């Protein structure tokens, strides 16, 4: 008798992903940097926040819907863009389908393993994500391609300092899968026959190229080739952010904001939204958890632009806490990747159902009829919980 493919928590999806994936692939999903303090604080900080539930006055009908950058969403969760998704043959297309089925927005990385055209066909409500990499001409061409494919917003991710080194060791990832790489990784891969057979049945091996960075008439770079270009590109200025926003010409989200002064500069640059994020703990270690950074930023700019949160969300209750502290919506990354590894498209849908169910329970228990009614009054926030970076004295 086969195991029930359904799982009841994101933690269980992670356990299954760890059993299913080759250790190098699983290690790439866990990621983190240095001591992993930010990685753990992103999730642990949510547990420091307590709910203040009501005993009477609950609502039988609850509205979880919202809009993100003008796009309707069944509930306030957005798929965060992540790079090459070699955990499943269908990769980003499977994620996009699951998101579309649940009525939420798909975020697609420019480092993704599937072309933007395939992803927008699977989910018309797709936001395209870009790094500041290559020439302005190349970036303008990539934006035009995403626009032509139907992407409804641009996400600019600029919070990266190329931190490396993990106390628990970094996974070994090849630049491309060739005979030499296959031999090297055979001992790791052969211990995960289910993962290997799924790719074998699909008729292709994991693709470690970035098709969305393919220049006209050229070939798609490998992931590490694209990463090297990114490292060699002169970091952007605020004028570059303004150029990027103007070149895109539509809804524009700046991802990776952790400081109040940066959030204000982003507003001055004309962004539509900011995402409070520390790149999932993969950037400068000991940066505070995203949820600790959210309240001061939401207070400073939330009346001018939409404020989203990305980092550490594992439960629907986490979504409710983020909304109560000023977020319009949250983005999720590792959570859906573990679902994808555990059970493909259905696993991603499973994760989204978990988050929706947990959010609905929180809205019910707090005595509200809509997610838009959530406020700090619904929480116990311990003294000293928030971190107001760049806010002055």
């Amino acid at each position: 008798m086969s195991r029930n493919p359904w799982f009841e928590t994101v933690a269980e999806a992670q356990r299954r992903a760890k059993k299913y994936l080759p250790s190098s692939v699983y290690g790439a999903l866990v990621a983190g940097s240095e001591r992993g303090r930010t990685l753990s604080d992103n999730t642990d900080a949510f547990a420091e926040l307590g709910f203040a539930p009501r005993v009477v006055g609950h609502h039988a009908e609850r509205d979880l819907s919202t809009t993100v950058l003008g796009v309707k969403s069944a509930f306030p969760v957005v798929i965060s863009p992540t790079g090459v998704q070699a955990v499943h043959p269908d990769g980003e297309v499977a994620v996009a389908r699951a998101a579309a089925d649940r009525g939420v927005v798909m975020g697609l990385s420019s480092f993704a393993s599937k072309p933007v055209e395939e992803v927008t066909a699977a989910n018309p409500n797709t936001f395209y994500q870009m790094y500041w990499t290559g020439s302005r001409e190349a970036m303008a061409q990539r934006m035009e391609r995403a626009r032509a494919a139907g992407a409804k917003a641009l996400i600019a991710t600029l919070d990266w300092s190329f931190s490396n080194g993990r106390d628990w060791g970094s996974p070994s990832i090849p630049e491309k899968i060739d005979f030499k790489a296959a031999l090297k990784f055979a001992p790791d891969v052969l211990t995960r026959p289910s993962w290997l057979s799924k790719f074998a049945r699909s008729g292709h091996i994991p693709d470690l190229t970035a098709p969305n960075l393919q220049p006209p008439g050229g070939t798609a770079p490998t992931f590490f080739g694209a990463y090297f270009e990114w490292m060699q590109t002169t970091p952007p200025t605020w004028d570059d952010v303004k150029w990027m926003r103007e070149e895109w010409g539509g809804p524009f989200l700046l991802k990776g904001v952790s400081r109040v002064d940066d959030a204000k500069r982003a507003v001055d640059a004309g962004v539509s939204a900011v995402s409070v994020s520390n790149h999932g703990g993969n950037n400068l270690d000991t940066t505070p958890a995203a949820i600790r950074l959210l309240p001061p930023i939401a207070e400073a700019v939330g009346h001018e632009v939409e404020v989203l949160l990305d980092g550490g969300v594992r439960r629907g209750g986490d979504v409710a806490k983020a909304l109560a502290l000023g977020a319009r919506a949250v983005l999720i990354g590792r959570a859906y990747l573990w679902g994808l590894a555990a059970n493909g498209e259905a696993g991603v849908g499973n994760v989204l159902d978990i988050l929706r169910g947990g959010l609905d329970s929180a809205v019910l228990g707090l005595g509200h009829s809509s997610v838009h009614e959530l406020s700090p009054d619904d929480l116990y926030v311990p003294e000293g919980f928030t971190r107001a970076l760049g806010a002055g004295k």
Side-chain angles (χ1 to χ4, degrees), residues 67-101:
T67 60
V68 181
L69 292 174
V71 176
K72 292 182 180 180
S73 181
F75 54 106
V77 171
V78 176
I79 296 295
S80 188
T82 61
V84 179
Q85 295 176 11
V87 301
H88 190 278
D90 293 336
E92 294 84 0
V93 173
V95 177
R97 288 172 181 156
D101 186 60

Side-chain angles (χ1 to χ4, degrees), residues 19-22 25 86-89 177 181-183 185-206 341:
K19 291 180 180 179
Y20 172 75
L21 295 171
V25 179
V87 301
H88 190 278
I177 304 296
L183 283 178
F185 286 87
D188 185 22
V189 172
L190 292 176
T191 63
R192 299 293 187 268
S194 296
W195 180 82
L196 182 61
S197 65
K198 189 164 291 185
F199 274 96
R201 290 195 301 271
S202 73
H204 64 269
I205 58 178

Side-chain angles (χ1 to χ4, degrees), residues 11-356:
E12 174 58 20
Q14 182 180 0
R15 283 190 288 269
R16 294 189 186 186
K18 187 174 184 179
K19 291 180 180 179
Y20 172 75
L21 295 171
S23 61
S24 56
V25 179
Y26 177 76
L29 296 190
V30 173
S33 67
E34 300 179 350
R35 287 177 292 184
R37 291 292 297 274
T38 298
L39 179 66
S40 58
D41 194 33
N42 267 352
T43 53
D44 293 347
F46 276 105
E48 295 181 26
L49 297 168
F51 283 123
R54 299 182 184 277
V55 68
V56 175
H58 297 158
H59 296 266
E61 300 291 334
R62 295 165 300 282
D63 181 13
L64 306 184
S65 66
T66 190
T67 60
V68 181
L69 292 174
V71 176
K72 292 182 180 180
S73 181
F75 54 106
V77 171
V78 176
I79 296 295
S80 188
T82 61
V84 179
Q85 295 176 11
V87 301
H88 190 278
D90 293 336
E92 294 84 0
V93 173
V95 177
R97 288 172 181 156
D101 186 60
R102 267 62 178 188
V104 300
V105 171
M106 170 72 183
L108 178 69
S109 172
S110 55
F111 281 15
S113 63
K114 300 294 183 183
V116 60
E117 293 82 5
E118 291 185 21
V119 174
T120 55
N123 188 340
N125 290 334
T126 292
F127 294 172
Y128 185 71
Q129 178 266 353
M130 284 182 54
Y131 300 97
W132 185 260
T133 174
S135 66
R136 279 194 175 190
E137 181 182 8
M139 285 185 272
Q141 179 272 321
R142 294 163 189 161
M143 282 188 257
E144 176 54 35
R145 178 180 172 183
R147 189 184 300 111
K152 294 187 175 178
L154 189 76
I155 301 173
T157 302
L158 306 180
D159 64 320
W160 193 246
S161 58
F162 305 102
S163 301
N164 55 58
R166 303 172 177 90
D167 287 357
W168 56 95
S170 296
S172 178
I173 303 172
E175 181 169 5
K176 60 181 179 179
I177 304 296
D178 54 17
F179 183 72
K180 183 178 179 180
L183 283 178
K184 178 181 178 180
F185 286 87
D188 185 22
V189 172
L190 292 176
T191 63
R192 299 293 187 268
S194 296
W195 180 82
L196 182 61
S197 65
K198 189 164 291 185
F199 274 96
R201 290 195 301 271
S202 73
H204 64 269
I205 58 178
D207 189 355
L208 300 182
T209 61
N212 294 303
L213 298 180
Q214 180 176 344
T219 58
T222 64
F223 176 86
F224 285 106
Y227 189 82
F228 182 76
E229 179 191 66
W230 184 20
M231 291 180 68
Q232 299 305 305
T233 303
T234 301
T237 65
W238 283 108
D239 285 339
D240 291 325
V241 175
K242 184 177 180 181
W243 170 84
M244 205 175 191
R245 190 266 302 166
E246 291 175 345
E247 184 69 28
W248 173 251
F252 184 96
L253 167 65
L254 179 62
K255 187 174 181 292
V257 175
S258 61
R259 299 171 56 102
V260 172
D261 50 3
D262 277 350
K264 292 179 178 179
R265 291 293 298 272
V267 172
D268 292 341
V271 307
S272 313
V274 296
S275 174
V276 179
S277 167
N278 50 43
H279 216 109
N282 296 329
N283 200 19
L284 294 178
D285 194 33
T286 70
T287 300
I291 190 65
R292 299 188 193 279
L293 304 173
L294 172 65
I297 292 174
E299 182 178 355
V301 302
H303 59 290
E304 298 179 87
V305 297
E306 293 183 15
V307 178
L308 283 72
L309 176 126
D310 190 347
V313 173
R314 301 290 185 270
R315 305 176 190 278
D318 297 342
V319 181
K321 291 172 182 178
L323 268 57
L325 293 181
R328 179 77 175 186
V330 305
L331 294 94
I332 60 169
R334 290 182 180 90
Y336 78 79
L337 290 173
W338 289 324
L340 181 65
N343 195 27
E345 178 184 334
V348 178
N350 195 156
V351 166
L352 290 171
D353 289 343
I354 289 168
L355 296 180
R356 179 179 181 125

Side-chain angles (χ1 to χ4, degrees), residues 52 54 57-66 76 319-328 359-360 362-379:
R54 299 182 184 277
H58 297 158
H59 296 266
E61 300 291 334
R62 295 165 300 282
D63 181 13
L64 306 184
S65 66
T66 190
V319 181
K321 291 172 182 178
L323 268 57
L325 293 181
R328 179 77 175 186
L359 173 61
D360 186 56
V363 173
L364 170 65
L366 295 168
H368 297 309
S369 61
S370 167
V371 291
H372 299 287
E373 297 171 358
L374 292 165
S375 75
D377 186 55
D378 295 310
L379 302 179

